[in-house]
Amino acid sequence: MPKALRTIVLASLLTWPLHAFSQALSVDEKVKYILEITDFQRVTNAAFEGFKPLMVNQLRRSSNKITPELAEHIANIAGDEINNMKPEFTAFVVDLYKKELTEEEIGAFYDFYRTPVGSRVGRKMTKFTENMIPQVQAFMTRQFLPKFQARLVRDERLRNALSP
């Protein structure tokens, strides 16, 4: 077999399983891979960590009964709630991808991110995150804050500090 033909056959055999694997994955699995390659969890963790002090400071301004110890307790509650809702938040983002992109576009992103160049580009992607911020804020207002506020109201250590 000529060397050029052997190279083509070998390349086809090496890329065929990747293409077949791509076809076997669900759209959700492809989106989750895209989130993984674009460091979604790291970016999300940083955003949540930045959100906590803002929230605690707002509570401290609303009541002079919030001591530094209670502020730390509130921050811990916020951290717990954020950790508890990460799967729900990830599902929200997966659904957002599926709402904003077609299956074909998601498949193309997935296939691209599976390449070495795509992997590097994916890790540098920030534009989607910038566009997602207003929707994330709406999600946090709708999902996180009511749960967080309800937990604060039920917390024995905070009952006095948060009362008028």
Side-chain angles (χ1 to χ4, degrees):
M1 182 181 290
K3 186 175 181 178
L5 183 57
R6 238 182 327 184
T7 302
I8 291 170
V9 169
L10 181 58
S12 297
L13 289 174
L14 290 174
T15 59
W16 181 81
L18 182 62
H19 180 70
F21 180 70
S22 168
Q23 298 303 316
L25 292 179
S26 71
V27 173
D28 284 17
E29 290 168 317
K30 290 178 183 179
V31 172
K32 286 177 184 172
Y33 177 80
I34 292 167
L35 295 178
E36 179 185 318
I37 203 74
T38 57
D39 286 335
F40 169 77
Q41 288 300 328
R42 184 185 55 77
V43 171
T44 300
N45 289 340
F48 285 152
E49 286 303 313
F51 176 71
K52 280 193 312 188
L54 297 173
M55 181 183 49
V56 169
N57 287 337
Q58 184 176 0
L59 285 169
R60 290 189 79 190
R61 284 193 301 272
S62 71
S63 171
N64 60 0
K65 296 178 184 178
I66 306 282
T67 65
E69 293 80 21
L70 287 178
E72 179 68 23
H73 183 63
I74 291 169
N76 289 337
I77 291 171
D80 286 347
E81 286 303 314
I82 287 168
N83 284 331
N84 291 340
M85 67 173 284
K86 281 182 181 178
E88 181 182 353
F89 184 68
T90 300
F92 165 78
V93 173
V94 169
D95 288 342
L96 184 60
Y97 264 84
K98 292 181 343 188
K99 181 178 127 192
E100 297 295 326
L101 301 168
T102 67
E103 284 187 35
E104 181 183 31
E105 291 165 337
I106 290 170
F109 270 126
Y110 173 82
D111 291 341
F112 174 66
Y113 286 139
R114 296 284 297 174
T115 68
V117 171
S119 177
R120 287 192 308 272
V121 169
R123 297 212 183 275
K124 294 178 182 178
M125 191 177 99
T126 59
K127 189 64 177 167
F128 182 82
T129 304
E130 291 169 1
N131 293 335
M132 200 171 68
I133 288 173
Q135 294 181 55
V136 168
Q137 290 170 336
F139 174 85
M140 292 300 289
T141 300
R142 198 175 53 248
Q143 300 293 328
F144 173 76
L145 287 179
K147 292 175 184 177
F148 176 69
Q149 289 170 336
R151 186 166 170 188
L152 291 180
V153 168
R154 292 188 313 265
D155 191 281
E156 289 293 325
R157 287 179 60 192
L158 298 175
R159 191 162 287 144
N160 251 356
L162 296 176
S163 66

